[in-house]
Amino acid sequence: MKISIIGKNVRVTPGIKSAIEKKFSKFNKYFDRDDVSGRVLIRTYPVGKKLEITIFTPKMIFRAEAVDHDLYNAMDIASEKLEGQMRKLKTRITKKQKRQSIAESIYLEKIKAEKLKREDEELVRTKSIYLEPMTVDEAIARMDAIDHDFFLYLDVDENKISVVYRRVDGGFGLLEADNKIK
C-alpha cells in the first residue's frame, strides 16, 4: 500500500513517518492489491494535534480522524477507529456470505450491492426536492435557517449540484458534483 503523509502547520519528522508506516503496516493484512493507497494528514492546532487517515480502495474509502494533545495518541485512536470500521464491514459480509478471510471480505467487488443492507438501520423516509439555483452564501443562510448540518442546492455560478455542510472544527465545507447540469 502506498502512503502519502502530509503535514499542515507541522513538520513530518522521520520518527513520525516511521510510526505512521508501522501503524499502516497492520492494514496490509486487509489488502493484498496494488491499487490501494493511503493518505495521512497531520494538523497542529492550539488545542492539540489532529490526525486524519484515509484509505482508498477501488470500491470504498475508509476514513478516521482523531484529535489529541499527543500526536502518537491521536495516531493510536485513529488507527483503532479505522480497524473497527474494517472489522465491522468484515463481520457484516461474513454473515451474509460463506466464511472468508478478512482480506477476501474487504474486496467489495465480490459483494452484490443488494447484500449490503444495514442490519441495524433501514431507510425510513424518502424525500424529493427541487434544487433551487443559488450562491454558496444563500445556501449557508438557508442551512442555518432550517438548523441542519448540510444543505443540497444547485450552484448558480458553476451550474453544479452542490452540498454545503458545517464542519466539526468550525466553518463550512462544500461538495461539488464533477458533472455539470445540462
Side-chain angles (χ1 to χ4, degrees):
M1 174 181 348
K2 294 186 309 183
I3 306 167
S4 64
I5 303 169
I6 303 164
K8 301 252 181 165
N9 301 332
V10 66
R11 190 172 139 288
V12 179
T13 64
I16 293 172
K17 184 177 180 178
S18 68
I20 289 171
E21 288 172 349
K22 184 177 178 184
K23 284 287 180 194
F24 257 86
S25 68
K26 75 178 181 180
F27 296 121
N28 285 333
K29 67 182 177 187
Y30 295 106
F31 311 105
D32 59 357
R33 296 175 51 131
D34 293 333
D35 55 355
V36 175
S37 63
R39 181 181 67 215
V40 177
L41 179 62
I42 305 166
R43 293 181 184 185
T44 302
Y45 295 106
V47 294
K49 315 278 189 288
K50 181 177 181 180
L51 186 96
E52 298 175 15
I53 301 174
T54 310
I55 296 178
F56 303 96
T57 68
K59 301 286 183 177
M60 184 168 200
I61 296 174
F62 294 95
R63 185 177 181 285
E65 65 180 50
V67 178
D68 197 282
H69 291 289
D70 182 27
L71 178 63
Y72 295 97
N73 285 344
M75 199 180 308
D76 291 338
I77 294 166
S79 175
E80 288 172 15
K81 285 181 183 179
L82 211 60
E83 193 161 22
Q85 291 174 11
M86 292 177 190
R87 271 193 310 251
K88 184 177 177 180
L89 178 64
K90 186 244 179 213
T91 302
R92 185 180 307 152
I93 293 167
T94 54
K95 282 183 180 179
K96 303 266 186 200
Q97 298 179 351
K98 63 180 183 172
R99 223 170 242 290
Q100 296 177 337
S101 71
I102 294 174
E104 289 172 329
S105 297
I106 293 296
Y107 293 130
L108 295 179
E109 59 265 11
K110 294 182 180 179
I111 303 166
K112 301 274 185 235
E114 62 269 8
K115 290 186 177 181
L116 272 180
K117 290 184 181 173
R118 296 191 62 112
E119 295 170 8
D120 55 342
E121 297 176 2
E122 63 182 59
L123 183 65
V124 293
R125 182 176 179 203
T126 302
K127 186 176 182 179
S128 296
I129 60 171
Y130 173 77
L131 297 180
E132 293 184 40
M134 62 182 73
T135 65
V136 176
D137 293 332
E138 290 172 320
I140 291 171
R142 293 225 185 154
M143 179 181 67
D144 286 338
I146 59 175
D147 196 31
H148 279 187
D149 293 328
F150 68 94
F151 188 78
L152 181 68
Y153 70 101
L154 181 62
D155 192 302
V156 73
D157 298 325
E158 299 290 328
N159 200 27
K160 293 181 178 181
I161 295 175
S162 302
V163 176
V164 66
Y165 62 95
R166 191 177 318 280
R167 294 182 49 90
V168 175
D169 60 354
F172 299 99
L174 179 66
L175 301 173
E176 293 180 325
D178 281 339
N179 46 335
K180 292 191 176 201
I181 305 297
K182 296 179 181 174

